[in-house]
Amino acid sequence: MKALVELANKAREVSGVRIYKRNVEAVLSAVLKSGDFWEIVDMSSLPVPAASGIVKVLIDEGILFIDDEENIKLTQKGFDFVRELGIETFEDHSCKACEGRGIPFYANIELYREFLQLTKDRPKAIRDYDQGSVTPETTISRVLFMDSRGDLRNKDIIVLGAEDDLTGLAIALTRKAKSVLVIDIDKRLIDFDNQIFKELGIDNARAMVWDLRNPLPEDILGNFDVFVSDPPETLPAFRAFIGRGIATLREEGGVGYFGLTLRDSSVFRWRDFQISLTSEFGVAITDIVQNFNHYITWDYHSETKAAELAPVKREPKTIWYKSAWYRIEALPGFKRWNEPISDDVFYLDEEGSTT
Amino acid sequence: MKALVELANKAREVSGVRIYKRNVEAVLSAVLKSGDFWEIVDMSSLPVPAASGIVKVLIDEGILFIDDEENIKLTQKGFDFVRELGIETFEDHSCKACEGRGIPFYANIELYREFLQLTKDRPKAIRDYDQGSVTPETTISRVLFMDSRGDLRNKDIIVLGAEDDLTGLAIALTRKAKSVLVIDIDKRLIDFDNQIFKELGIDNARAMVWDLRNPLPEDILGNFDVFVSDPPETLPAFRAFIGRGIATLREEGGVGYFGLTLRDSSVFRWRDFQISLTSEFGVAITDIVQNFNHYITWDYHSETKAAELAPVKREPKTIWYKSAWYRIEALPGFKRWNEPISDDVFYLDEEGSTT
């Protein structure tokens, strides 16, 4: 039987992404809990190519097999292996009340109700822009999180390129912000928001079409207290969304929120992002709440690289794609970045797979 | 009436610590919720010297006053000022079930019960070692958090200089770790732990006296999967606790947990810590959960610099000192730091005040 570290190295070769011993353990621990590949990705907190590479290697080694219903299971040899290593079943003690976020969506049930009723016919997530909407519970929890940190009331807030989640709409619905500006590449979302703002007479909120690959116009730079975004996980996209987000901040003490996932990006990439945030952009990270953002599986799932890479064809049955919720605070001397950016690898690189 | 930014600058002069506009807003927002100074520190998430400096400046400016019962209140001028600026009352939507941690302590009620009963006569926090114990609910939630991240079962775990919280004891009580080693400077805690390990026949756990200002012995370096600590917030102490913690890790994928507070350290210092972690030590930060750790107000509160700096003499009525829970993951090439360290500013610097 190969050692875990050898299995990790082999999976790294197969998948082309960075994998270490701990990741193989995490997959085995998850398999003890569920045979569903997408749940295994979720529980092991790995990029899809990494989880998939590990599963494939473990099948090759006779540790796992796929049954007739496309469940991933341990062989007898696999059970012995896992027992020998002392790997135990994945456990999750997350709070049932707040779904582990620390802030329950029902803390403002009126807002949740109004949001749900107004968004019944919201535009569906489409592949063109790497969209994937979070659950309404996530969106409302984001707003309540912001409120709990003093980042909502009487603040000028901009939502950049993340309005498939309708977070800008939810913020506007609180009627607590000073102003809300939503910019997104997708005209359907912009029209949807503006229509509701108009119907409800919310005149301090507006939405406009913008492609974040282009520099932001001058009148947006340095004019906001808070930005919210949800970037694709490539480095160029991170710069375009978060760099520009920081550039919209008025002054030190300005705040940014965004999602970052370990399903399309490794912990190695996360460190790169964190070095960039703290050393280059001059912000401090105040919060990282894992699995805060729950994404509804997108209709175009079967067309993604993730589906292609998966060791099984079976589609996800439940929510499997989650991301962490970051909060950053701009310190004196923070950097406003607003360069043009090329199309190359904007949405997809070797670790990403859900576009 | 002075502008917020002028008030911030003045408070900075008075207190000698870094303060910006947003911090003044946070104090005013908190005063709208409570007149208790310690609750104001908690809600504004500021170092005590900063919150105290701001309150003093706002009193000087006729915006705040202290009433006969030592409540901090807005004057009429203060109310007008706050209304003009659109500052609203502090809101906290934290989950009541899990106290905002995302992991409720009662997810393993047997562990909680056993821990409470065994620790009825635990050693009291003393000032000599900057001690301050977290609530039992915090300790148990830490262990369940670790379990949810795959950092408990069959792992070799070391707890460094933080056993006033009895986290090492709680880990050992799960009987799930492969081994537990507790090191702490306080012989009372070491004896307490070893006594319980012996009584319960937990033979994979042990505790030993160690002063973390000294380098760790060779046999401890590189021998653990997970470390847990709770450092004082000075840079030298951070190195001694977290640098040495990282040095105990066996290999990449090793994990560290520790508390860091904004009550004894500013967000500026946090950025320094984060740069050090990611750029120098070579780890990624995977979790920062604000207000995870709740500290029981220590008996020696009245002797602290915090009490001396406070604008009121009234003692804290509730838990006011909280810290964030960090999780880090060591990446290939991570740095093992184990140098000797001097006594200077180990426990206290200009931002700290609770030692």
Side-chain angles (χ1 to χ4, degrees):
Chain A
M1 185 75 64
K2 285 200 173 65
L4 276 177
V5 63
E6 287 175 76
L7 295 170
N9 289 339
K10 204 176 153 198
R12 185 173 178 153
E13 276 170 40
V14 166
S15 65
V17 295
R18 291 167 285 193
I19 289 169
Y20 48 56
K21 191 177 132 183
R22 173 186 179 86
N23 306 143
V24 181
E25 280 180 354
V27 166
L28 287 167
S29 178
V31 170
L32 287 165
K33 185 88 167 189
S34 166
D36 183 278
F37 176 69
W38 303 103
E39 290 181 25
I40 292 167
V41 173
D42 178 21
M43 290 186 273
S44 60
S45 276
L46 285 171
V48 176
S52 182
I54 292 170
V55 168
K56 285 172 183 170
V57 165
L58 293 175
I59 291 172
D60 276 357
E61 295 291 328
I63 293 167
L64 298 180
F65 73 103
I66 298 177
D67 76 5
D68 294 345
E69 284 159 341
E70 296 205 300
N71 283 306
I72 296 166
K73 289 184 170 170
L74 286 162
T75 60
Q76 182 58 52
K77 182 178 157 188
F79 267 111
D80 295 343
F81 184 61
V82 157
R83 196 177 318 123
E84 193 188 307
L85 291 170
I87 293 171
E88 291 198 35
T89 308
F90 172 84
E91 287 287 337
D92 179 12
H93 303 291
S94 289
C95 183
K96 303 282 187 294
C98 62
E99 302 185 308
R101 293 185 189 98
I103 303 273
F105 70 89
Y106 53 79
N108 186 341
I109 200 69
E110 293 77 15
L111 177 62
Y112 176 70
R113 278 196 207 126
E114 186 181 18
F115 180 78
L116 270 191
Q117 291 177 339
L118 286 169
T119 57
K120 190 174 79 66
D121 301 314
R122 65 194 284 176
K124 288 227 174 241
I126 52 172
R127 193 180 180 190
D128 300 23
Y129 311 122
D130 183 35
Q131 289 175 345
S133 310
V134 299
T135 61
E137 296 75 33
T138 302
T139 301
I140 299 304
S141 300
R142 285 176 175 180
V143 177
L144 299 179
F145 192 104
M146 293 167 66
D147 194 24
S148 297
R149 291 284 186 280
D151 300 327
L152 172 66
R153 291 162 199 254
N154 208 33
K155 300 293 180 190
D156 292 310
I157 302 173
I158 184 168
V159 179
L160 298 111
E163 195 55 5
D164 41 336
D165 298 331
L166 299 177
T167 307
L169 175 64
I171 292 167
L173 290 178
T174 65
R175 282 84 165 174
K176 294 290 184 192
K178 189 182 207 172
S179 74
V180 185
L181 175 62
V182 173
I183 63 174
D184 198 283
I185 197 173
D186 188 350
K187 189 168 183 298
R188 300 175 310 147
L189 297 165
I190 298 306
D191 291 345
F192 185 79
D193 275 4
N194 278 331
Q195 180 66 27
I196 293 179
F197 296 155
K198 196 175 157 194
E199 273 169 23
L200 298 183
I202 300 178
D203 54 15
N204 70 338
R206 66 188 179 96
M208 67 175 222
V209 174
W210 194 265
D211 181 344
L212 277 168
R213 282 171 289 200
N214 302 320
L216 291 172
E218 277 299 321
D219 63 328
I220 288 182
L221 298 179
N223 266 325
F224 293 87
D225 301 305
V226 178
F227 80 86
V228 181
S229 195
D230 202 10
E233 265 76 10
T234 64
L235 278 165
F238 187 77
R239 284 189 162 282
F241 282 65
I242 306 307
R244 290 203 216 295
I246 293 169
T248 68
L249 296 178
R250 180 173 288 133
E251 60 196 351
E252 58 255 29
V255 164
Y257 287 95
F258 51 90
L260 268 191
T261 185
L262 289 166
R263 309 290 183 280
D264 267 331
S265 163
S266 67
V267 71
F268 297 83
R269 174 87 45 81
W270 270 40
R271 182 178 53 180
D272 295 339
F273 290 147
Q274 290 167 357
I275 290 174
S276 170
L277 287 167
T278 54
S279 300
E280 183 193 345
F281 287 114
V283 306
I285 306 165
T286 64
D287 301 77
I288 305 178
V289 185
Q290 285 287 349
N291 300 330
F292 187 102
N293 300 300
H294 294 192
Y295 296 77
I296 301 163
T297 300
W298 27 88
D299 291 345
Y300 61 85
H301 170 81
S302 64
E303 303 162 34
T304 60
K305 186 180 151 200
E308 185 193 315
L309 283 175
V312 295
K313 291 297 146 216
R314 202 169 84 181
E315 301 226 332
K317 290 183 177 171
T318 52
I319 284 174
W320 67 277
Y321 193 93
K322 298 173 187 164
S323 77
W325 188 228
Y326 270 66
R327 180 182 182 277
I328 56 173
E329 201 165 313
L331 301 187
F334 71 93
K335 177 172 159 187
R336 293 207 179 90
W337 184 94
N338 193 30
E339 303 300 312
I341 207 162
S342 86
D343 261 6
D344 304 350
V345 297
F346 191 73
Y347 289 132
L348 207 59
D349 61 11
E350 79 285 1
E351 289 177 353
S353 70
T354 62
T355 299
Chain B
M1 185 74 65
K2 285 201 172 66
L4 276 177
V5 62
E6 288 175 74
L7 295 169
N9 290 340
K10 206 176 151 198
R12 185 173 177 152
E13 277 169 39
V14 166
S15 64
V17 294
R18 291 167 285 194
I19 288 168
Y20 48 56
K21 192 178 132 184
R22 171 186 182 86
N23 308 142
V24 182
E25 279 180 354
V27 166
L28 288 166
S29 178
V31 170
L32 286 165
K33 185 89 167 188
S34 167
D36 182 279
F37 176 69
W38 302 103
E39 291 181 24
I40 293 168
V41 173
D42 178 21
M43 289 186 274
S44 61
S45 277
L46 285 172
V48 175
S52 182
I54 292 170
V55 168
K56 285 172 183 170
V57 165
L58 293 175
I59 291 172
D60 276 358
E61 296 291 327
I63 293 167
L64 298 179
F65 72 103
I66 298 177
D67 76 5
D68 294 345
E69 284 159 341
E70 296 206 299
N71 284 304
I72 296 166
K73 289 184 170 171
L74 286 162
T75 60
Q76 182 58 53
K77 183 178 157 189
F79 268 111
D80 295 343
F81 183 61
V82 157
R83 196 177 318 124
E84 193 189 306
L85 292 170
I87 292 170
E88 292 197 36
T89 309
F90 171 84
E91 287 287 338
D92 179 12
H93 304 291
S94 288
C95 183
K96 302 282 187 294
C98 61
E99 300 185 309
R101 294 186 188 98
I103 303 272
F105 70 90
Y106 53 78
N108 185 342
I109 200 70
E110 293 77 15
L111 176 62
Y112 177 69
R113 278 197 207 124
E114 186 181 18
F115 180 78
L116 270 192
Q117 291 178 339
L118 287 169
T119 59
K120 190 174 78 68
D121 300 315
R122 64 195 283 174
K124 288 230 174 237
I126 53 172
R127 193 179 181 191
D128 299 23
Y129 310 122
D130 183 36
Q131 288 175 346
S133 310
V134 299
T135 61
E137 296 75 34
T138 302
T139 301
I140 299 303
S141 299
R142 285 177 173 179
V143 177
L144 299 178
F145 191 104
M146 292 167 67
D147 194 23
S148 297
R149 291 284 186 279
D151 300 326
L152 173 65
R153 291 163 199 254
N154 208 32
K155 301 293 181 190
D156 292 310
I157 303 174
I158 183 168
V159 179
L160 297 111
E163 195 56 5
D164 41 335
D165 298 332
L166 299 178
T167 307
L169 176 63
I171 291 168
L173 290 177
T174 65
R175 281 86 163 171
K176 295 289 184 193
K178 188 180 207 172
S179 73
V180 184
L181 175 62
V182 173
I183 63 174
D184 198 283
I185 196 172
D186 188 350
K187 188 168 183 300
R188 301 175 310 146
L189 297 166
I190 299 306
D191 291 345
F192 185 79
D193 275 4
N194 279 330
Q195 180 66 27
I196 294 179
F197 298 155
K198 196 175 158 195
E199 274 169 23
L200 299 182
I202 300 179
D203 52 16
N204 69 338
R206 66 189 179 97
M208 68 175 220
V209 174
W210 195 264
D211 180 345
L212 277 168
R213 283 171 288 200
N214 302 321
L216 291 173
E218 276 299 321
D219 63 329
I220 288 182
L221 298 180
N223 266 326
F224 294 87
D225 301 305
V226 178
F227 79 86
V228 181
S229 196
D230 201 11
E233 266 76 9
T234 63
L235 278 166
F238 187 77
R239 281 188 164 282
F241 282 65
I242 307 306
R244 290 204 215 294
I246 294 170
T248 68
L249 296 178
R250 180 173 287 133
E251 60 195 352
E252 57 255 28
V255 164
Y257 286 95
F258 51 89
L260 268 191
T261 185
L262 289 166
R263 309 289 183 280
D264 267 332
S265 163
S266 67
V267 71
F268 297 83
R269 174 87 46 81
W270 270 40
R271 182 177 53 180
D272 296 339
F273 291 147
Q274 291 167 356
I275 290 174
S276 171
L277 287 168
T278 54
S279 300
E280 183 192 346
F281 287 114
V283 306
I285 306 165
T286 64
D287 301 76
I288 304 177
V289 185
Q290 285 287 349
N291 299 330
F292 187 101
N293 300 300
H294 294 194
Y295 295 77
I296 301 163
T297 299
W298 28 88
D299 291 344
Y300 61 86
H301 170 82
S302 65
E303 303 162 35
T304 60
K305 186 179 150 200
E308 185 193 315
L309 283 174
V312 296
K313 291 297 146 216
R314 201 170 85 182
E315 300 226 331
K317 291 183 178 171
T318 52
I319 284 174
W320 67 277
Y321 193 93
K322 297 174 188 165
S323 77
W325 188 228
Y326 271 65
R327 179 181 181 277
I328 57 173
E329 201 165 314
L331 302 187
F334 71 92
K335 177 173 160 186
R336 293 207 180 89
W337 184 95
N338 193 31
E339 303 299 314
I341 207 162
S342 86
D343 261 5
D344 303 350
V345 297
F346 191 73
Y347 290 133
L348 207 59
D349 61 11
E350 79 285 1
E351 290 177 352
S353 70
T354 61
T355 298

